[in-house]
Amino acid sequence: MKSKSGGMGLRVLLISLLILSLIFVFMVNITFKSPSSGTKLSLDNVYRMAANGQIVRARLLDQDAVVEGTYCPEGVAQGGNCRGGKAATFHATYPRSDVSTQQLIDRIGARAPVAVDHQTGKEVSRLVLTFVLPLIILANLFGLILLSKGGDASLGEIAGFGRVGKDRQRKKATVTGVSFNDVAGAGEAVAELSEVLDYLKDPTKFEAYGATAPKGVILFGPPGCGKTLLARAVAGEAGVPFISVSGTEFVESLVGVGAARVRDLFSQVRALSPAICFIDEIDAVGRRREGEGVSGGEREQTLNQLLVELDGFEVTAGIVVMGATNRPDILDPALMRPGRFDRHITIDRPELEGRIHILKIHARGKPIGPDVDLEFVASRTPGFTGADLANVVNEATLLTIREYRTEVTAADFEEAIFRVVNGPKRRGRVLSVEERQRTAFHEAGHVIVAAAAGRADEVHRVSILARGRAVASVQMGADAEATLLSRTQLRGKLVTQMGGIAAENLIFGEGSTGGEQDIEQATDLARDMVTRYGMSPELGPVRYLAHAAEGFLGNDIPLGEISIETQTAIDKEIRRLVAEAQAEATAMLSRHRKTLDALASRLDEEETLEGETLQKVIAPIEAEMATERIGATGKVASRANGTRTRRKTPVG
């Protein structure tokens, strides 16, 4: 909100700018306008008439470089009059130089009187118009731009360029109002932060025991997992001020500005202790120093100042610095050492119980219908972050408002999950008969192969309705929450991913562009098996790529130089795994061809199958798999009993 003094100053500057503009236009008009009375002659004609004695008198306007006077068009001048005709006026321009002026005076003055007007007034006005007035107008415009930013913006901001924003200074004495009741799915992180909470409430407690409380905490985790919310909750529980900045606020190309802002920030925090200073995206300022030279000098200076400030307050100061990042792999080791950021806490995607609590928090105050089971919704959203779950609840509520209903139903939550994962339905997308059949068999292939691979319980829904960039989709409760996956489980996922392409080749004799995403995911999984998990007999238990999850963002990168032979072997193993998975998927579909045809036909008619309806279609496959497992178990038991019997037989 603008202050009264700021609004008054803005009006004064606007009025003065208008007045200065009018003065500028007026002075331009009178300064650069030359007299144009009489006949306009060329300078050669003036010289000719002067030689013939036709000029009666002349006057030179020095600043305008104009000569004017009277002459006799049909006679000669004599005694200040014309003999043999009437006098007329003339004017002519001449080059502005001392030589030209003197030459003109000499040639006209030989036969007629010549006067010189130095135009002192115009000389002064030209000086004002050329230098003084433009500077005043520019200064006026500069002040107008500063005041037009609103708030407390003024010329004083120039002196405060190295300070952290004033909006934060006005709000710095407030507490967040967020508590641990507003945080769910991060129980381990909350337990780790309990000591920080005790330290903020009573710093002397740790001094009495001779212990050192963590004065720096780094929160790691994927985007949307609640790192900022957790930091605000700690401040709210402790009832202390919460100062939040972004790491990008310290990144400046001007030398010394970033370091000055770091000093200003910590001076504010010290004045408010006990308090929490939260630096979001700390990797922007805390990136590892790698001898970047001149280009990295300012950022390195800013990082050095941050390290100095972290060392500059005692344990009893009641100050905790919390940082958040999703790129812990690029942080400088000096920033991460004990004594600066003592505690490193990972906030991962919530598990089932955490997702249930998060959904309940975001469902507060919303008209949730009696048919909504948040536990069931949580089971359908493995791998979702807290931000994703909040979006699911919000999307379900928006669907209710759009259809003018009073309660949010289970169908709204189901649709909301699909909107978050795949995007809204593309109503303008119409498939031809052949495309529809091909899509139905493609998605049915995924479902049949998943059931034949023992993953039937994970298949929740299959649809051939276009959403976002996807023409169709299969929703599976994937093992996103599994901590360990065996080679058999990964191979089962690989075979399932190739089920759609295998179905198209089996039914239509060739694949289509609809398998692009399947091939991409299968290739990535096969590459992980070979280069990260050591599951290739050819290459052995060797890791060739860095884990992408170490930074929660970005692509895998090589751990070191890889020879051409090794890269060739990696490519060969990836092709082998994908090809074998496709062959295995084709064999499964050939074996269950009737179920594949039935499921594709149902999809072509009903477009979407889920729940019990879907399970009934693939029930024969589940029954056959159960029978095979029982038979295999019996054979194993028989062989085991036979082995034990033979061991009991005396030797010899």
Side-chain angles (χ1 to χ4, degrees), residues 131-162:
F131 297 103
V132 180
L133 197 57
L135 289 176
I136 296 175
I137 292 176
L138 287 175
N140 201 295
L141 284 172
F142 187 61
L144 188 64
I145 291 172
L146 286 178
L147 281 180
S148 64
K149 295 199 307 181
D152 294 333
S154 63
L155 291 174
E157 284 193 352
I158 299 175
F161 194 69

Side-chain angles (χ1 to χ4, degrees), residues 108-402:
I108 297 176
R111 301 289 298 271
V114 179
V116 178
D117 185 359
H118 294 286
Q119 295 180 300
T120 307
K122 275 197 172 185
E123 185 177 3
V124 175
S125 64
R126 282 178 185 272
L127 179 64
V128 172
L129 193 62
T130 306
F131 297 103
V132 180
L133 197 57
L135 289 176
I136 296 175
I137 292 176
L138 287 175
N140 201 295
L141 284 172
F142 187 61
L144 188 64
I145 291 172
L146 286 178
L147 281 180
S148 64
K149 295 199 307 181
D152 294 333
S154 63
L155 291 174
E157 284 193 352
I158 299 175
F161 194 69
R163 300 180 61 187
V164 183
K166 288 189 176 182
D167 288 339
R168 185 170 301 105
Q169 295 178 21
R170 289 195 296 268
K171 300 176 183 178
K172 63 186 179 182
T174 61
V175 294
T176 63
V178 181
S179 66
F180 286 147
N181 293 329
D182 302 310
V183 180
E188 295 180 359
V190 171
E192 289 291 331
L193 290 170
S194 60
E195 293 176 359
V196 176
L197 185 60
D198 294 339
Y199 168 64
L200 290 170
K201 290 182 177 180
D202 185 13
T204 59
K205 173 182 177 181
F206 293 85
E207 185 180 9
Y209 284 89
T212 302
K215 63 178 182 180
V217 179
I218 284 283
L219 303 177
F220 304 141
C225 284
K227 299 183 289 293
T228 303
L229 179 64
L230 190 59
R232 292 173 63 87
V234 175
E237 288 284 342
V240 299
F242 180 79
I243 297 181
S244 175
V245 297
S246 173
T248 57
E249 294 187 39
F250 304 109
V251 180
E252 284 287 349
S253 59
L254 300 178
V255 177
V257 172
R261 289 181 177 174
V262 171
R263 289 192 295 269
D264 180 65
L265 171 65
F266 279 88
S267 67
Q268 294 180 35
V269 176
R270 289 190 183 93
L272 292 170
S273 62
I276 286 182
C277 175
F278 178 69
I279 305 176
D280 198 8
E281 305 298 342
I282 196 172
D283 52 276
V285 66
R287 186 183 294 268
R288 181 184 290 110
R289 294 167 289 186
E290 296 178 352
E292 297 170 332
V294 177
S295 61
E298 170 60 14
R299 186 180 60 79
E300 185 170 332
Q301 183 178 354
T302 304
L303 175 58
N304 290 336
Q305 185 63 46
L306 178 60
L307 298 178
V308 171
E309 294 293 341
L310 289 172
D311 291 333
F313 53 88
E314 300 297 331
V315 178
T316 57
I319 298 174
V320 173
V321 181
M322 300 183 71
T325 180
N326 42 43
R327 296 295 307 275
D329 54 314
I330 65 173
L331 292 179
D332 194 275
L335 189 69
M336 305 292 288
R337 72 163 177 82
R340 287 172 178 158
F341 283 100
D342 309 88
R343 186 150 299 180
H344 306 161
I345 299 176
T346 301
I347 304 175
D348 212 338
R349 292 178 174 84
E351 298 180 351
L352 178 61
E353 290 298 324
R355 295 198 300 274
I356 294 173
H357 292 157
I358 292 173
L359 288 170
K360 289 180 179 179
I361 289 174
H362 291 291
R364 294 173 186 168
K366 295 180 175 60
I368 306 299
D371 63 330
V372 176
D373 184 2
L374 294 180
E375 295 185 6
F376 177 74
V377 175
S379 67
R380 299 289 294 270
T381 54
F384 277 38
T385 64
D388 294 331
L389 296 171
N391 197 18
V392 167
V393 177
N394 187 61
E395 286 288 345
T397 308
L398 292 177
L399 290 172
T400 304
I401 297 173
R402 183 181 303 173

Side-chain angles (χ1 to χ4, degrees), residues 480-492:
E481 296 178 309
T483 304
L484 297 175
L485 292 174
S486 65
R487 185 178 186 278
T488 302
Q489 290 173 309
L490 291 176
R491 183 173 175 78

Side-chain angles (χ1 to χ4, degrees), residues 575-594:
R575 287 195 297 270
R576 181 184 66 82
L577 287 174
V578 175
E580 289 180 356
Q582 182 175 350
E584 187 173 343
T586 303
M588 292 178 177
L589 293 174
S590 300
R591 180 179 178 182
H592 303 286
R593 176 64 184 271
K594 292 183 179 179

